[in-house]
Amino acid sequence: DIQMTQSPSSLSASVGDRVAITCRTSQVISSYLNWYQQKPGKAPQLLIYGGTSLQTGVPSRFSGSGGGTDFTLIINNLQPEDSATYYCQQSYSAPRFTFGPGTKVEIK
Amino acid sequence: QAQLVQSGAEVKKPGASVKVSCKASGYTFSNSYIHWVRQAPRQGLEWMGLIDPRGGSTSHAQKFQGRIAMTRDTSTSTVYMDLYSLRSEDTAVYYCARSNILDGFDIWGQGTTVTVS
C-alpha cells in the first residue's frame, strides 16, 4: 500500500499570509494527487485534482504543485474562511485510494 | 445540480450490521464511481471502498475484507453500503462521494453518523 505523510500536522498563520502544506508518498504516483479542505462538521471539498488542476468554483488563491512523490498545496493571501483541515489523497493505486493524515490550518 | 443524499443516523450494538444508503441525482448515475469514506471522531479520512454503478463491480480496502458489501439499485440511482460485525471502533461519520476513477471526489454526501454502543 502507498503510505502518505503530510507536514506540518498543524500551523497557525495570519490573514494575508502565504501557506504551504506538503504531502509525500511512499512511492512515485505521477500526478495522481488530490487535495481537499474540510471544515468542522462538514463533508470534505475537492480543491485540487491531478496534482495541479483547480476544481471548478475554488478560489484561485489555492494552487497545487509537485509530482512523483512530493506535492505542495499553496494558499496565497490566506483568508479567515480558509481555517480548516486539509487532506491530500492519492488515486495512483486506483481502485484503491489513500488519504494523508491531514494538516490543520488556524488563523491567528 | 449533482448531489448525493445519505440516509439518517444509526445506533447499533456491537456485533450488529448497518446499511447506509446514498441516493444520487442531477447527473447520469452510471457515469461515475461511488466511494465510501469514513471519519472516526477527531480522526482523519479513511477510504473504505468503491462501486462502479454500471456493472456493480466493487473494490475495498484490505482492512474491511469480509465485513463490507456495496450494492446499487440503478432504478433508484441509489448505492448501499453494508458493514457487518460492528465494533466500537466503527463509530464514525460515513460519507459517500462521487468520482471518475483517477480524478478527485467532487461531490460528497452530507454524511451518516453511525454509533456502535
Side-chain angles (χ1 to χ4, degrees):
Chain A
D1 289 2
I2 296 176
Q3 308 303 314
M4 305 183 71
T5 59
Q6 286 183 235
S7 60
S9 57
S10 65
L11 66 91
S12 181
S14 300
V15 172
D17 282 354
R18 179 180 184 270
V19 166
I21 299 169
T22 298
C23 178
R24 182 164 291 167
T25 58
S26 60
Q27 64 186 74
V28 171
I29 62 166
S30 185
S31 295
Y32 297 110
L33 193 285
N34 310 307
W35 290 98
Y36 299 84
Q37 176 194 68
Q38 187 182 31
K39 297 182 179 180
K42 300 294 187 181
Q45 177 189 355
L46 178 65
L47 299 176
I48 302 288
Y49 62 95
T52 59
S53 297
L54 190 69
Q55 174 69 1
T56 302
V58 174
S60 59
R61 64 180 180 274
F62 291 92
S63 64
S65 66
T69 60
D70 293 293
F71 301 86
T72 303
L73 174 70
I74 298 288
I75 310 173
N76 284 306
N77 187 23
L78 190 70
Q79 296 299 299
E81 59 266 31
D82 300 335
S83 178
T85 300
Y86 294 83
Y87 295 92
C88 58
Q89 176 212 35
Q90 64 83 18
S91 56
Y92 178 82
S93 63
R96 293 183 174 177
F97 299 76
T98 318
F99 287 94
T103 295
K104 186 173 184 179
V105 173
E106 295 181 331
I107 310 297
K108 286 180 183 175
Chain B
Q1 70 283 18
Q3 63 174 347
L4 299 173
V5 178
Q6 299 182 222
S7 49
E10 303 266 10
V11 179
K12 297 291 182 181
K13 294 193 180 299
S17 302
V18 70
K19 191 179 196 80
V20 181
S21 68
C22 173
K23 182 174 175 60
S25 63
Y27 73 97
T28 303
F29 179 62
S30 59
N31 282 0
S32 300
Y33 295 82
I34 296 291
H35 302 258
W36 291 94
V37 176
R38 76 178 184 179
Q39 187 170 38
R42 296 169 298 283
Q43 300 298 311
L45 302 171
E46 180 176 31
W47 181 80
M48 300 178 69
L50 68 81
I51 184 167
D52 180 351
R54 284 169 295 188
S57 60
T58 64
S59 177
H60 57 266
Q62 186 64 30
K63 74 176 287 185
F64 299 104
Q65 180 69 31
R67 285 216 301 143
I68 191 170
M70 291 164 285
T71 56
R72 94 288 192 220
D73 181 344
T74 56
S75 69
T76 61
S77 299
T78 302
V79 168
Y80 301 92
M81 188 276 294
D82 289 278
L83 193 62
Y84 307 107
S85 303
L86 292 169
R87 36 218 191 213
S88 59
E89 310 89 271
D90 295 317
T91 293
V93 177
Y94 289 75
Y95 295 100
C96 60
R98 182 190 84 162
S99 86
N100 297 309
I101 189 63
L102 293 178
D103 294 338
F105 299 0
D106 64 343
I107 304 292
W108 292 68
Q110 81 276 20
T112 297
T113 299
V114 175
T115 303
V116 183
S117 176

